[in-house]
Amino acid sequence: MLKCIAIDDEPLALRQLSSYIAKLPYLELVATCSNAIDAQQRLLQQPVDLIFVDINMPDLNGVDFVRSLIDRPMVIFTTAYSQYAIEGFKLDAVDYLLKPFDFADFSRAVSKAHSLYELRQNQRTTPEEAPLAEAEPKDTEYISVKADYKVSLVKISEIIYMESEGEYVRMHLANGTCITTLFRLKNMEAALPAEHFMRIHRSYIVNLDCIRSYVRGRVYISETEYLPIGEIYKEAFQRYIDSHFRNLTENLNS
């Protein structure tokens, strides 16, 4: 059971969050707070596993509130302002919900948090099984990763992209499934073939063969789903585009 707290200065938003949380049997809402100051006091009294927090709040905004936490729970940011997404990802947030969001969006975000929670619990209950230091490439076609008490062989060409979730990596596969495993993105980056995979953001590695289009700081892996390109990765990505698609390029900074 994930103990959680919801923080939002809008009463309607708090009621919606409370309603959504009540629909998921593995969530337990221990408190709702209308501002971050009250939430700080509440967390001193009762630690939780997951925080839902609005970003744009008076006195202390959600980003600064999360930065202030020493023993930080998992965080899902909720806000009506998409420009805050980057700040949220810098804090290793589990997810970022853009208002207005429906229950399906909420459920997908919470599913990520639940997967991370279960992985951490598994590591605590099986201390004799040390986590792998890095991904282990078995051959040129497969990579082995440890998840859910077993080592899975994943076909490299089936990986669409990977996202960092703190000390975990979530692998998104072509069949629509995901695998969450305990090690960092830089280890995956070292294990994957550089001619097919590129790190385009501090939180994302993408399969270059799966990119359908790109425009001004983002790459599309479907008609609607895209990944951000971090500022420090733009130049390397532009070089790749220039060398492979010389006649079809548009400068990322234009």
Side-chain angles (χ1 to χ4, degrees):
M1 181 73 73
L2 278 166
K3 295 183 182 297
C4 59
I5 184 172
I7 310 162
D8 202 303
D9 62 326
E10 299 176 8
L12 285 176
L14 272 182
R15 283 199 292 271
Q16 182 192 52
L17 276 172
S18 299
S19 173
Y20 285 171
I21 290 168
K23 293 180 180 180
L24 295 176
Y26 52 82
L27 291 183
E28 178 187 349
L29 181 62
V30 300
T32 60
C33 299
S34 60
N35 62 76
I37 304 298
D38 289 346
Q40 284 178 327
Q41 296 303 312
R42 183 72 190 218
L43 289 174
L44 289 175
Q45 300 168 10
Q46 182 176 10
V48 298
D49 305 299
L50 175 62
I51 295 173
F52 300 94
V53 57
D54 186 22
I55 291 181
N56 191 27
M57 294 188 294
D59 299 326
L60 181 64
N61 68 46
V63 170
D64 290 337
F65 163 71
V66 171
R67 284 199 188 104
S68 74
L69 299 177
I70 298 174
D71 189 11
R72 187 183 301 168
M74 292 180 291
V75 176
I76 295 177
F77 284 111
T78 64
T79 184
Y81 302 95
S82 60
Q83 65 265 31
Y84 292 118
I86 294 176
E87 290 300 317
F89 287 125
K90 284 180 179 178
L91 292 169
D92 289 326
V94 172
D95 211 338
Y96 178 96
L97 289 170
L98 186 62
K99 298 177 181 178
F101 53 87
D102 58 19
F103 180 70
D105 294 329
F106 175 84
S107 183
R108 280 191 291 270
V110 174
S111 178
K112 292 183 183 181
H114 191 225
S115 296
L116 291 176
Y117 176 78
E118 289 188 327
L119 273 173
R120 290 169 181 170
Q121 292 301 109
N122 292 344
Q123 289 299 319
R124 292 192 187 107
T125 56
T126 57
E128 71 282 0
E129 297 182 13
L132 297 180
E134 58 182 37
E136 296 181 358
K138 294 297 184 184
D139 53 36
T140 58
E141 289 190 64
Y142 290 86
I143 191 169
S144 65
V145 294
K146 184 178 180 182
D148 298 328
Y149 298 104
K150 62 182 182 293
V151 175
S152 298
L153 291 177
V154 180
K155 193 169 185 178
I156 291 174
S157 63
E158 295 295 308
I159 301 170
I160 304 297
Y161 70 94
M162 298 182 179
E163 63 177 317
S164 172
E165 296 181 342
E167 59 200 89
Y168 300 89
V169 169
R170 193 172 181 86
M171 304 171 64
H172 297 257
L173 307 180
N175 63 5
T177 63
C178 296
I179 295 176
T180 304
T181 186
L182 181 62
F183 46 80
R184 296 185 179 276
L185 202 63
K186 65 180 180 180
N187 301 120
M188 280 291 191
E189 185 179 11
L192 292 169
E195 65 270 23
H196 294 293
F197 288 84
M198 179 179 289
R199 190 161 185 174
I200 59 169
H201 188 277
R202 67 186 298 271
S203 298
Y204 294 100
I205 293 173
V206 68
N207 185 336
L208 294 167
D209 299 328
C210 295
I211 295 176
R212 300 187 61 172
S213 60
Y214 74 96
V215 62
R216 293 184 179 85
R218 62 181 62 172
V219 296
Y220 282 82
I221 54 177
S222 72
E223 290 297 325
T224 57
E225 188 176 6
Y226 66 84
L227 306 176
I229 304 174
E231 285 295 328
I232 65 173
Y233 300 94
K234 281 185 177 181
E235 185 176 346
F237 182 76
Q238 187 67 56
R239 285 198 301 269
Y240 166 78
I241 293 295
D242 290 343
S243 63
H244 288 76
F245 309 100
R246 193 173 304 278
N247 296 323
L248 302 174
T249 60
E250 175 187 357
N251 192 286
L252 291 175
N253 297 315
S254 63

